[in-house]
Amino acid sequence: MVGTLTDVAVLSREAFDAIEFDAALTGDHQAAAEQWLLADDPAAAANRFMRALEDGGPSDVDPRAPLARALFMMDRAGEAETLIQALAAEPPREPRTCDLMAELLAERTDLIGALAWAGAGVELCLGRSPGPVATAGDADTEEPEAGQDGERAGATAGVAALPPASQAELRLLLTLRFRIRNDLGLPEDDYDRLLDELPSEPGTISGTL
């Protein structure tokens, strides 16, 4: 099935109980949902992601992104597509959400959609404000805004000032974007070249699904 995770963890009943107890104690339903998804229980994960949506609150990932993955895993593609369309109609706010959406759509062979999300994530990492992904058209088939030498130099300087975790997220997004563009037969652009200028060990990203 498309979207099924590899290296699935097998959790004991005691571990499942602990997940639910922690979620009830802390109210962190999204963290619990990620654990259920990693344990190959998309139904439980979907329930927790929905609880996270209802509760609201700040998060580095919009719960609708991993919820869409869980719905695809449950063969509820129509509901997943509705979530994806809703997300695409809004300006993205979190680079990690863009990363998850790009990965999901790439797995679904929607390379143009995946490219739009990856590009939006890069823009967010660089401190810019991308518009809704749904309005991106042929997303990233032209040179990005960093095309002029001065702007590119500014982007490079901005990257150097990012904390390690943000640099790691940017590297992940740039790498994903490069691979998608390569699959689409698109030429190298300034964002691809920016990838070569990132530190080799920028840090780690937490919360990977």
Side-chain angles (χ1 to χ4, degrees):
M1 182 187 301
V2 176
T4 299
L5 301 180
T6 58
D7 298 327
V8 170
V10 178
L11 301 186
S12 66
R13 182 69 259 171
E14 290 78 11
F16 285 153
D17 291 342
I19 291 170
E20 292 301 300
F21 177 80
D22 288 343
L25 185 66
T26 65
D28 192 352
H29 300 291
Q30 184 160 312
E34 289 176 4
Q35 292 297 318
W36 284 113
L37 197 55
L38 288 170
D40 201 26
D41 192 333
N47 179 62
R48 281 299 178 185
F49 285 128
M50 290 176 183
R51 290 285 299 276
L53 281 170
E54 292 170 358
D55 291 348
S59 174
D60 62 352
V61 175
D62 190 308
R64 290 174 293 179
L67 175 56
R69 176 184 289 279
L71 290 171
F72 276 126
M73 293 172 68
M74 296 162 64
D75 290 328
R76 293 163 60 179
E79 295 172 68
E81 293 290 352
T82 297
L83 280 179
I84 291 171
Q85 291 170 11
L87 277 166
E90 305 169 4
R93 295 185 297 272
E94 309 94 358
R96 187 67 184 132
T97 297
C98 296
D99 168 26
L100 293 179
M101 290 301 299
E103 291 176 353
L104 176 60
L105 293 181
E107 292 171 10
R108 305 290 300 180
T109 68
D110 179 2
L111 296 184
I112 292 297
L115 185 56
W117 279 107
V122 170
E123 294 283 302
L124 286 173
C125 286
L126 295 177
R128 296 169 182 160
S129 301
V133 172
T135 65
D138 289 333
D140 288 345
T141 56
E142 298 180 355
E143 284 283 302
E145 292 181 8
Q148 298 181 1
D149 290 342
E151 292 177 343
R152 181 164 173 254
T156 302
V159 169
L162 292 174
S166 296
Q167 289 188 24
E169 184 66 69
L170 177 58
R171 172 176 287 279
L172 188 155
L173 283 159
L174 285 170
T175 300
L176 181 58
R177 181 180 179 275
F178 172 80
R179 290 173 179 169
I180 296 168
R181 284 175 61 85
N182 186 62
D183 287 344
L184 289 169
L186 297 174
E188 183 183 70
D189 64 8
D190 277 348
Y191 281 167
D192 297 327
R193 290 183 280 275
L194 181 60
L195 179 59
D196 295 331
E197 298 172 11
L198 283 173
S200 58
E201 294 294 336
T204 58
I205 302 171
S206 62
T208 302
L209 288 177

